[in-house]
Amino acid sequence: MDSSSDFVSEFKRVLSLIYPPYDFPDVYWRIFNFNWFPNPHHQECFQKHCVDVARRMDALCRRDNLLQEIWKEDITYAYLVGFLHDIGKPFVTRINFFGQQGFRGQAQGGAHLVTLRFQDEIPKDVLLTMGVLIDCHMCCLRNLSFSSEHRLRVNAVLHMYLPPIPHLLSLLMCLHSADQSSKQPPFQVEGSGYLYQAPFTFRKDRRVVIFLLGPMESGKSKIARALTEELASCGSVLHLQRDEILMTLATKGESYYSCYNRIRSYPALKRQLQTLWQERLDSASADIILVDTCQTYFWSNMIGFENCFRIGVYCVPFNLIDPVANWRNPQIEFPPEKWSGYPSLLTEQCPWNLEVGTGLWNLVPSLVKRYFNQPWPESLEHHPSLATLWNESFVSKICAQFPFKGIHVEEEFSLMDHKVYRATYTPGKAFTWGPTRFYRGEYLLQKENTKMVYPLRSGLPTFTRHPTFAPTFDHVVVTPKFDGILVNILFIPLQHPYYKFLKTWFLGDWNEIGLFLVGSKQKLIMDNHLRKNFNMVMGSKSFDTYIRSYDSYFEDQDCLKTLHFEMMTEADSKELNVYYPENFFKFIGCTTFTNDYRRFSLAKPSDAIAIPQKTFQTKEACEAYLEELHDQFLKGDTLCEPEGCVLYFWDARGCLLDIVGKKFPEYLAVINPNKYPKHYQETLTNPLLAERFQKIRKLKKDLDTSALKKAIHEFLKKDTKDRKEFALYVEENRFKIQEFQTQLDEMTEKARMKARNIRQELFLNYPYIQKTIANIFRPLGEIVDEE
C-alpha cells in the first residue's frame, strides 16, 4: 500500500471495504463521522490515527512475517488489526461532568464488533488472534507507569487469560508500539512491563462471577445459555437474570415491557426491584455465577463480589451488524444515556471493578477452567506463611498476589537488631477476604543482619465471607459465633530462642514454663483499656492461675503457640452488636507454628470454658441442625447466639480445610438495616429478639416519646365545637404541627421506620385525643418500652 496516499481517502476506502455503507449504515457513519476532542494524547484526528497505526503495524509485523496473509485487495490482517484497534471508541463514548470524553470498554467492545463482522470471512484462528489483540491493546503493561506491584498482578492475570496463540505477546507489543508512535506528539516510553512467564498464581476465593454487560438486545441471554452449558463440567452454575426478578412484580397477565415501563415510572417500585435483586445476589452461592445486567440496571459501584474472581463479557447490540437481528426493537440506543458505561479492568487501571473483561465470550470457558485448574492449597495449613513468602521474594510481590489493598504489612516495633512487622487490614478497611484472611493479625520477626523473616505470632484466620460448604470434607464441626473481642495469647517456651530477648522487650506475663504475651486480634500486646477488661472478665483469678488451666498445651517446648479466646463483656460496647448480661470467656482453640508449618486445633471438650461443638459427617445433617438452631433462636432460646455459627471443615487427616461463617439474617439486619429492611423491622418489633442486641436496646433508650406525646396532648386539649373550628385551629398552628412532625421524623429515622402524618391523624381521629396519640405513635409503640 502506497504510504504517501492521502489518509482521508485511504480511511474512506478501507472503511468502505470493511463496513460497506449500504450493508452497515449505522456502523459506517458512526465511525466515519467520529472524532475525539482535542486532548494531550491525540493532536491528530481519529481517521489519521487509524490509518497511521495500520501502516505501522503492518510494517512491524512484516519483519517477522506475522499476520501477513491478505484479507482483501492489498490489505493484510496486520493492517486490519491496526486500522480497527480503536473501532469501539465511536460506540462507547461517554462525556463526563467536565465535558471530557471517556472510552471505557472500547477495546473489548471493538473486539466484539470485529468478531461479529468477520466471523464468516476470516479463518477462526486468525480472527481469534485479531480479536485478542484488539481486546488487550489497552493493557497497562504497554508502559512502566504503574507500580511494580500492579504490573506483577496484571501479568499473573493476563497469562491466565491469554489463549495459547503463537507470537501473541510479540504481536501485542507491535500493536502498542504502532499505537504509541502514531500519536501526535509521539508517546515515548522507557519500556513495557510484559513478562513472558506468569510471576505467580493469582487466586481469590474459589468462585467465579461472570457479568454479562451491555444494553438490551445485545445477546446476553443467548451467551449466558451457551456459557451455562459449557461451564457445567467446572462446577455448579447459577444464572441470575434481572428480567426474571422484574417479572415477580408484574400484575396478572402483564407483559414484560408493560411491567418494565410501569416500574420505570415509579421510584418506589424501582427501589423494591433493586432490593429484590440485591437479595438474590447476596444469597447466590454456586461455584460459577452468571449475572445478567442490562441498561440502567448496571452501575460500576454495584459490581460487588469482591472476594470472587470476576469476569466481564462486554456485549454490543447485534443490530449494529445485522439490522434485522433485533426484530422487537431494531433501533437500540448504544450506549444508553442512563448507563454508567462498562466497568474498569485490572489489566487497564487500578483500582478496578473486574479482574478480566473481554468482548470474546468464547474465551471465557477456557479461562474459567484454567482458574479452577490452578494448584490450590488443600487446606489452610498448606497456605505458606507470610514469612515464607517474604523470604522467597519481596513485599511488593507478596501484596501483588492479593486483591488491591487486600493486605497491609507495617512495621510495629524496631528493637536492637530486630524488627517486628504486622499483617493487618488496609487503612480504612475493617475486613479482609480472599487469601488475606489467613494472615490477619500475623506477626513477623526480621533479623537486621540477615534480613531473614520468621513467624512470631499466628492469628486466627477470618472465616470466609460467602456461606458455602467446602466441596469435599470428612467432617464439619459447628460452633456458636460469639460477638465478642478476640484475644490471642502468644506462648513462648522457656527453651525457645525468642524467650530471652522478647522477655526483655515486652512486659508480658511469665512463669517457670515460659512467657505469655496477651494480645488482641490486631495487637501483639493488648492496649491498656482492653487489658483492664480482660482482667475484669478473669475476676478474682490471677493470670497465672487462669492460664494453668491449659498446661497441656505448653508441654512442647520447641514450638510457639497462640491460644485463641473470645471475650464477652456485660458493659455496652459501640464495637459489638450482641448484648451479654454477664462477663465470660470462651476458649476457641490453639495454633501451633514453627518456621516450617502451622496447625490449628479446636478446643478439646474437656478444656476449661471450651466453646460448644457439634460434629456432622454430611452436608444435609449440618444444614438441618443450622435450621433447627435458627428456629430456636427465633423462639427466644437464650442459649442460641444471635450472630449465628462458625463451621470448621476438616479432612480425614485432621487438617483444617476451611472456616465458614453462617450469620443469622436478624444479626445482619441489625448491623445493616438499610440492606435488610424487612428482617430489621421484624427483629425490632420482636421482644424476644430485640433484647439480644445492644443497638436495639440503646435505640429503645434513645427513643423517648413522652415529651412529644405530652406536647401533642396539650395541643389537642383546646376545646373546639366542630370539625370546621378544629380545622381553623390546626391551620393557625400549622408551624407548631410542623415542629411536631419534624421531631417524630427524627425518632422514626433512628428506627428506620416511616413516620405517620400527624396532620392527617389529627383529622382522621377527631375528636378522640387518646386515639389520635396512640395512632401517631403506633409504629414506635411496638419497640419503645411504654411507661
Side-chain angles (χ1 to χ4, degrees), residues 628-642 664 666 686-693:
E628 178 187 345
L629 206 61
H630 186 227
D631 288 340
Q632 291 175 1
F633 168 65
L634 294 177
K635 293 174 182 176
D637 189 341
T638 56
L639 297 179
C640 298
E641 280 302 306
F664 290 155
E666 293 74 21
N686 186 331
L688 295 176
L689 303 182
E691 290 299 307
R692 303 293 303 277
F693 295 101

Side-chain angles (χ1 to χ4, degrees), residues 483-499:
D483 187 33
I485 295 170
L486 183 64
V487 176
N488 290 314
I489 300 179
L490 173 63
F491 168 64
I492 303 100
L494 188 67
Q495 305 302 324
H496 197 277
Y498 294 172
Y499 176 81

Side-chain angles (χ1 to χ4, degrees), residues 250-456:
T251 58
K252 187 176 181 180
E254 187 177 25
S255 68
Y256 168 80
Y257 286 102
S258 297
C259 181
Y260 174 81
N261 290 324
R262 180 170 56 86
I263 290 174
R264 272 183 74 182
S265 304
Y266 291 95
L269 285 175
K270 289 173 74 174
R271 286 193 297 271
Q272 187 179 353
L273 175 62
Q274 190 60 40
T275 300
L276 289 171
W277 175 243
Q278 195 61 51
E279 287 175 355
R280 284 289 297 275
L281 292 180
D282 292 338
S283 62
S285 60
D287 300 320
I288 303 165
I289 302 172
L290 295 168
V291 182
D292 191 343
T293 63
C294 176
Q295 210 157 337
T296 54
Y297 298 153
F298 166 69
W299 297 93
S300 59
N301 63 344
M302 295 173 62
I303 279 286
F305 294 104
E306 294 93 344
N307 55 322
C308 303
F309 189 73
R310 299 166 297 179
I311 303 170
V313 178
Y314 290 53
C315 305
V316 297
F318 284 152
N319 68 314
L320 292 173
I321 300 301
D322 183 0
V324 300
N326 298 324
W327 57 93
R328 287 182 294 181
N329 191 356
Q331 299 300 322
I332 293 295
E333 175 194 20
F334 184 70
E337 287 186 6
K338 295 182 179 179
W339 190 51
S340 65
Y342 292 116
S344 56
L345 306 179
L346 178 151
T347 52
E348 295 180 7
Q349 71 177 65
C350 183
W352 63 92
N353 302 124
L354 304 174
E355 277 66 54
V356 171
T358 179
L360 311 173
W361 74 266
N362 52 318
L363 292 183
V364 171
S366 58
L367 169 60
V368 172
K369 289 173 184 175
R370 284 195 292 274
Y371 183 71
F372 283 143
N373 290 338
Q374 296 180 117
W376 293 80
E378 295 179 7
S379 71
L380 296 186
E381 294 165 21
H382 289 101
H383 281 271
S385 70
L386 281 181
T388 301
L389 291 174
W390 192 320
N391 292 329
E392 288 177 351
S393 53
F394 43 93
V395 175
S396 62
K397 186 174 179 180
I398 295 173
C399 295
Q401 297 180 51
F402 303 120
F404 176 60
K405 292 187 176 180
I407 194 168
H408 185 65
V409 179
E410 61 184 26
E411 182 179 327
E412 191 80 355
F413 307 104
S414 181
L415 304 162
M416 298 173 64
D417 57 347
H418 292 79
K419 287 186 176 180
V420 175
Y421 291 90
R422 175 177 62 140
T424 182
Y425 305 124
T426 54
K429 296 281 186 179
F431 59 87
T432 58
W433 37 264
T436 59
R437 64 193 181 90
F438 308 133
Y439 307 116
R440 180 196 66 176
E442 186 167 319
Y443 275 79
L444 308 169
L445 185 70
Q446 184 184 52
K447 290 186 177 180
E448 283 288 341
N449 56 345
T450 64
K451 300 301 181 183
M452 292 295 291
V453 176
Y454 305 92
L456 177 59

Side-chain angles (χ1 to χ4, degrees), residues 49-63:
H49 179 70
C50 292
V51 172
D52 199 20
V53 174
R55 293 175 179 176
R56 292 173 185 270
M57 179 67 178
D58 194 29
L60 289 170
C61 291
R62 193 180 305 126
R63 295 180 308 186

